[in-house]
Amino acid sequence: MAAAALREQLNALLASMFASGLVDEQFQQLQMLQDDGSTPGFVAEVVTLFCDDADRIISELAALLEQPVVDFDKVDAYVHQLKGSSASIGAQKVKFTCMQFRQLCQDKNRDGCIMALAVVRNEFYDLRNKFQTMLQLEQQIQAQQ
Amino acid sequence: MAVATETPFHVLAVDDSLPDRKLIERLLKTSSFQVTTVDSGSKALEFLGIHGEDSSPPVSVHEDQLEVAVNLIITDYCMPGMTGYDLLKKIKQESTSLRDIPVVIMSSENIPSRINRCLEEGADEFFLKPVRLSDMSKLKPHILKSRCKEHYQQEQHQQSDSSSNECSNTTNSSSSSENSNSRKRKAEDNEEVLPQTNRSRHS
């Protein structure tokens, strides 16, 4: 596929990610830092690190919430971590869900937390898919040049 | 456009989150800082050459080794083990000029009492995460301010030092010899004044 068409696809994807609130202007900061020229793989690197981190945290949360007695302090600590890293890369939806999740932790609401985890997981998977598509398109465009 | 005529300032960044470390590193490098990142407060102390219980005076004589001065420390607040606040306190307790290195705290939580506590303990600045490129421009003024202060203190010490008994037999006044007067080294004009006591061990 021609580079121009790929570019169009990529731009459309990014536009929809911003429009749907999946990412916010912090993600633009990342793009800006990459467009600075000296680090072409920066966004890919940070996004990948975030995804690995988030994946790990979500697994830990699932394990903690399965316990007969839930350690809400630990759960809260992990959600706080996820909230932090999602904010840093501009993953807005995930961040907002984490904020609600933390409130549920503080209320020691087990069912609420389990539901929040399910929401966070879905939102994260959706975001990860879009990131993967984005990176693939970028690679294809690069290959054309 | 300014021409860089001197060595870039060196920032030590401390954050337990890997994505955050990557981000702060990139933000700093884009802003022309030299960067070292560590993932914990204890590693930061190690890098600075601050030892566990006792804060011993700078007695290292590693002149042949590559010495890395740290001009600013930027640290996350919430870290397991040693928080950014704990790290700040340890640095400020130092009897060496390490305590004069400006410290910036970052936090994702906007808690006024936390911010005040850090500022009272000697933090120079507090950044709310996520940190952005525009925040980087706030760093250099703190570095310059602390170095002006250090330069002034060095000169003051020099003047009162001429009659001091502490002066060991310095063989050559122009060599950067590490003795008890290391903090009172004469500053050269137009040269990057890297405070000797800010050197970290190179290992």
Side-chain angles (χ1 to χ4, degrees):
Chain A
M1 207 192 266
L6 287 169
R7 246 262 138 252
E8 238 180 75
Q9 253 191 295
L10 178 59
N11 288 340
L13 172 62
L14 289 168
S16 81
M17 285 169 76
F18 280 105
S20 63
L22 200 55
V23 295
D24 59 26
E25 68 261 3
Q26 182 64 13
F27 187 68
Q28 274 173 339
Q29 282 277 311
L30 300 189
Q31 290 175 308
M32 229 170 62
L33 286 170
Q34 175 166 296
D35 293 342
D36 208 9
S38 48
T39 44
F42 175 66
V43 174
E45 196 183 359
V46 180
V47 156
T48 306
L49 289 175
F50 166 73
C51 287
D52 291 344
D53 207 42
D55 222 2
R56 174 189 62 89
I57 291 172
I58 287 171
S59 299
E60 302 276 6
L61 286 171
L64 285 168
L65 288 169
E66 272 166 24
Q67 300 301 312
V69 181
V70 174
D71 186 342
F72 284 103
D73 287 341
K74 277 202 180 135
V75 174
D76 185 59
Y78 275 119
V79 178
H80 172 75
Q81 266 185 55
L82 183 57
K83 187 196 117 197
S85 53
S86 58
S88 290
I89 69 147
Q92 186 176 244
K93 253 198 194 158
V94 173
K95 178 186 78 173
F96 283 152
T97 305
C98 286
M99 283 161 69
Q100 291 163 0
F101 199 155
R102 286 201 78 192
Q103 190 53 55
L104 293 161
C105 287
Q106 273 144 39
D107 298 340
K108 301 207 190 308
N109 182 340
R110 189 207 182 118
D111 288 343
C113 283
I114 291 173
M115 271 184 3
L117 178 60
V119 173
V120 155
R121 189 190 263 120
N122 281 342
E123 287 177 352
F124 167 62
Y125 287 166
D126 179 37
L127 178 63
R128 186 169 59 180
N129 284 340
K130 301 221 159 66
F131 275 153
Q132 279 166 353
T133 308
M134 178 189 86
L135 296 179
Q136 273 164 25
L137 285 170
E138 278 182 356
Q139 276 173 5
Q140 287 173 301
I141 292 167
Q142 284 292 321
Q144 300 263 348
Q145 288 163 355
Chain B
M1 201 177 291
V3 176
T5 53
E6 36 183 57
T7 349
F9 292 132
H10 180 209
V11 176
L12 175 64
V14 192
D15 200 318
D16 61 313
S17 156
L18 185 47
D20 283 12
R21 266 202 315 282
K22 255 302 133 187
L23 175 63
I24 194 72
E25 181 188 52
R26 178 82 334 250
L27 287 170
L28 289 164
K29 283 187 172 164
T30 298
S31 311
S32 307
F33 291 103
Q34 199 185 323
V35 190
T36 299
T37 58
V38 292
D39 64 6
S40 71
S42 43
K43 293 219 180 110
L45 292 177
E46 229 180 271
F47 186 82
L48 293 165
I50 298 174
H51 306 275
E53 304 306 312
D54 62 320
S55 52
S56 34
V59 290
S60 64
V61 284
H62 307 299
E63 287 154 51
D64 304 292
Q65 288 183 342
L66 185 65
E67 285 141 343
V68 186
V70 172
N71 302 116
L72 184 134
I73 298 162
I74 183 164
T75 177
D76 190 24
Y77 183 94
C78 257
M79 296 188 292
M82 192 186 293
T83 66
Y85 178 71
D86 298 329
L87 174 60
L88 167 68
K89 277 204 337 204
K90 286 215 147 63
I91 290 167
K92 293 304 172 189
Q93 276 163 13
E94 276 293 291
S95 57
T96 71
S97 62
L98 278 164
R99 67 162 181 257
D100 293 327
I101 305 178
V103 180
V104 173
I105 310 275
M106 306 179 277
S107 177
S108 57
E109 295 176 298
N110 191 353
I111 301 174
S113 58
R114 170 184 291 184
I115 299 173
N116 284 331
R117 196 152 48 108
C118 289
L119 294 174
E120 275 165 24
E121 196 60 43
D124 292 80
E125 184 90 51
F126 189 97
F127 286 166
L128 203 51
K129 280 179 158 184
V131 184
R132 313 161 68 89
L133 199 52
S134 53
D135 292 322
M136 297 295 101
S137 58
K138 300 178 192 166
L139 300 178
K140 196 166 163 191
H142 291 300
I143 297 177
L144 295 175
K145 198 170 57 175
S146 81
R147 288 182 44 204
C148 278
K149 183 175 135 195
E150 167 125 27
H151 190 130
Y152 177 74
Q153 282 174 347
Q154 280 181 358
E155 291 197 73
Q156 294 296 92
H157 281 130
Q158 275 208 311
Q159 285 165 17
S160 62
D161 206 38
S162 45
S163 54
S164 164
N165 295 335
E166 274 219 303
C167 282
S168 47
N169 296 326
T170 42
T171 48
N172 186 350
S173 58
S174 63
S175 75
S176 51
S177 51
E178 284 262 57
N179 48 28
S180 53
N181 297 333
S182 58
R183 259 178 283 167
K184 301 141 193 174
R185 178 173 71 90
K186 195 186 176 94
E188 311 244 337
D189 290 340
N190 303 322
E191 193 182 43
E192 184 79 347
V193 180
L194 294 181
Q196 289 190 320
T197 49
N198 285 350
R199 284 200 193 104
S200 54
R201 280 181 294 125
H202 179 70
S203 52

